[in-house]
Amino acid sequence: MRDAYHEELDSLTDKLVEMTRLVRSAISRATTALLDADLQLAESVISRDQEVNAVFADIETSIFELMARQQPVAVDLRLVITALRMGTDLERMGDLAVHVAKVARLRHPESAIPAETRSTIVEMGQIAENLVTKAGGCVATRDVDMALELEADDDAMDKLHRRLFRTILSKDWEHGVEPAIDITLIGRYYERYADHAVRVAGDVVYLVTGSRPGPA
């Protein structure tokens, strides 16, 4: 019975890692759809979000059943609590990738990204992928040092977000209000995606040490 119990706990970790893989793919494809005005790719991000939701629903069901049947305590209880928190953050990351894809879909066949913001969006997409890859590694290995590295990566995302604002507020901006709104929203989606990745890493730190590194 105890072996089965611990297999169920290990399964939570496996499902969380699977969620990180799915939301990494989502933000990667959403970024490409945005930059290339690729409608088909944008639609695939939107439609496949149900895969992320299904894994999260499975995690929730497993957690509720574990709580009811096993009444976990100590480290096991921390694992169950953090799994629910991490699953929530990862599900939200999937939603944010969908938001990016919807902007690409809305502006198709044109690109929503003016030329002067393109390099910044490329960098934001790369950092987002790097963050979720590291988060997945932290979840799989419970590597506290790696988890703490995510704060620095998130700082880089924040700097890029501020760069976008400087661009659209510049006197040289000549694209009008609608593209400025698009860029503002897109920047916010990437920033929030990064924040959720940092929260996942913070939960790994809490799981291992019993304390949190600080608010994300």
Side-chain angles (χ1 to χ4, degrees):
M1 288 293 291
R2 297 302 295 176
D3 286 346
Y5 167 55
H6 284 102
E7 285 178 5
E8 289 181 81
L9 291 175
D10 290 342
S11 177
L12 288 177
T13 298
D14 293 341
K15 290 169 186 174
L16 288 167
V17 172
E18 173 66 5
M19 285 189 76
T20 67
R21 186 190 68 78
L22 291 170
V23 300
R24 181 188 183 279
S25 174
I27 198 65
S28 175
R29 289 179 291 118
T31 301
T32 300
L34 191 65
L35 293 168
D36 296 348
D38 189 325
L39 180 60
Q40 184 175 355
L41 196 57
E43 293 288 7
S44 78
V45 175
I46 296 164
S47 64
R48 290 183 60 185
D49 186 51
Q50 61 185 343
E51 297 176 20
V52 178
N53 296 338
V55 179
F56 181 48
D58 194 16
I59 288 171
E60 284 187 308
T61 299
S62 297
I63 287 172
F64 297 148
E65 290 178 353
L66 279 168
M67 294 291 286
R69 289 187 288 102
Q70 302 290 352
Q71 298 180 345
V73 296
V75 175
D76 290 347
L77 180 59
R78 282 215 302 270
L79 173 58
V80 170
I81 292 170
T82 55
L84 185 58
R85 285 173 53 93
M86 287 189 279
T88 301
D89 281 310
L90 290 164
E91 191 271 339
R92 182 58 183 148
M93 290 165 75
D95 290 343
L96 289 163
V98 167
H99 293 336
V100 172
K102 284 183 176 179
V103 175
R105 182 175 68 179
L106 179 66
R107 300 305 172 203
H108 183 270
E110 302 299 322
S111 172
I113 307 301
E116 56 266 54
T117 63
R118 188 177 181 87
S119 64
T120 303
I121 296 300
V122 169
E123 288 185 64
M124 293 180 93
Q126 290 171 342
I127 290 174
E129 288 187 54
N130 184 53
L131 279 164
V132 73
T133 299
K134 281 189 176 181
C138 295
V139 173
T141 64
R142 301 187 186 179
D143 186 328
V144 171
D145 291 335
M146 184 190 296
L148 294 173
E149 289 176 5
L150 269 75
E151 289 283 357
D153 293 329
D154 185 45
D155 289 343
M157 182 70 87
D158 291 339
K159 289 178 182 177
L160 292 171
H161 191 212
R162 290 193 292 272
R163 185 198 295 177
L164 279 181
F165 272 111
R166 288 196 299 272
T167 301
I168 63 177
L169 293 174
S170 167
K171 64 181 181 180
D172 297 325
W173 181 259
E174 54 186 27
H175 303 284
V177 174
E178 192 171 80
I181 293 172
D182 285 344
I183 292 299
T184 300
L185 290 173
I186 290 164
R188 181 59 173 162
Y189 298 150
Y190 281 106
E191 182 197 34
R192 289 303 300 154
Y193 186 99
D195 288 344
H196 284 291
V198 172
R199 283 168 57 96
V200 170
D203 280 327
V204 173
V205 175
Y206 172 68
L207 172 61
V208 175
T209 68
S211 61
R212 297 192 179 279

